[in-house]
Amino acid sequence: MVLGLESPAPPIKVENWLRGQPLSSFQPGIVYIVEFWATWCPPCVAAVPGLVQLQEKYKKSAVEVLGLAAHEHAETADEAREKLDAWLTENVPNLNYRIGLDYTREMGKLWLDPSSSVGIPTSFVVDRDGRIAFVGLPTQLDDVLPKILTGSWRSSDEARAAETERIAQNERIMREMEARSAD
């Protein structure tokens, strides 16, 4: 399955929720930002304050941020959960959105892999109809999210152009990585 603009959102398969109430499925009428990140990833960490601000700014507009810690470095799920919990407590005391741990990579297999996403951070926006409205960097959300909320984004030429560019860029990155590994 290819996952991209206008695709139905894959299911939520999170084994551990560390912050916020567990979420087992997307609810109609709510816009979700699904953010894949890790504590060891500087661009991911840099995006967290912006996600806190987005959650605060749009909470009355039925927007929910879900942070999914992916690729945490730990020997066991328990160790990953403990390290992530300590990191969140120390570094994000004002966290106002849900955080789940994707230690088994189940969410990555459902979301990142089929979307041809290369690396983290990667943000997905699921619109009120349960469809993917955006896949990209969290730094792009300030521009894209208001358009998603008005319903003007998902079927726009701008959205299609952004999706085409994202896929082309990810393909370039993959070719470069393959070339480096072949050397």
Side-chain angles (χ1 to χ4, degrees):
M1 176 180 100
V2 175
L3 181 64
L5 190 63
E6 299 196 56
S7 298
I12 299 171
K13 303 262 183 173
V14 176
E15 63 269 12
N16 290 292
W17 290 97
L18 282 85
R19 298 291 189 276
Q21 293 298 311
L23 184 69
S24 59
S25 63
F26 295 112
Q27 303 302 309
I30 298 175
V31 172
Y32 294 91
I33 299 169
V34 181
E35 174 72 13
F36 286 84
W37 71 290
T39 58
W40 52 263
C41 165
C44 300
V45 170
V48 171
L51 292 167
V52 168
Q53 290 174 350
L54 281 175
Q55 181 64 75
E56 183 62 30
K57 181 177 181 178
Y58 292 107
K59 68 181 175 187
K60 292 181 181 167
S61 299
V63 173
E64 291 192 27
V65 177
L66 311 175
L68 296 173
H71 312 296
E72 287 298 321
H73 298 179
E75 294 295 318
T76 67
D78 286 341
E79 181 186 336
R81 189 174 40 256
E82 288 171 17
K83 286 172 65 175
L84 179 58
D85 185 51
W87 188 92
L88 290 167
T89 299
E90 181 179 333
N91 294 289
V92 198
N94 64 334
L95 188 71
N96 58 356
Y97 60 88
R98 300 173 213 235
I99 296 286
L101 175 62
D102 187 31
Y103 187 77
T104 63
R105 286 210 75 249
E106 184 69 22
M107 287 291 287
K109 292 172 191 165
L110 292 168
W111 291 73
L112 293 172
D113 298 348
S115 69
S116 300
S117 294
V118 180
I120 53 176
T122 297
S123 298
F124 293 81
V125 179
V126 178
D127 69 12
R128 297 182 197 291
D129 300 325
R131 296 199 166 269
I132 301 296
F134 173 79
V135 182
L137 296 171
T139 54
Q140 299 169 292
L141 291 171
D142 282 328
D143 182 48
V144 172
L145 191 57
K147 296 170 188 173
I148 292 170
L149 291 173
T150 64
S152 66
W153 175 260
R154 193 176 81 196
S155 60
S156 72
D157 290 341
E158 183 182 10
R160 282 192 284 285
E163 179 72 352
T164 300
E165 174 56 29
R166 178 189 74 82
I167 292 168
Q169 182 177 4
N170 286 344
E171 287 172 354
R172 284 191 298 274
I173 291 168
M174 289 302 291
R175 283 193 303 274
E176 290 170 8
M177 290 170 49
E178 288 170 0
R180 277 192 293 246
S181 68
D183 291 341

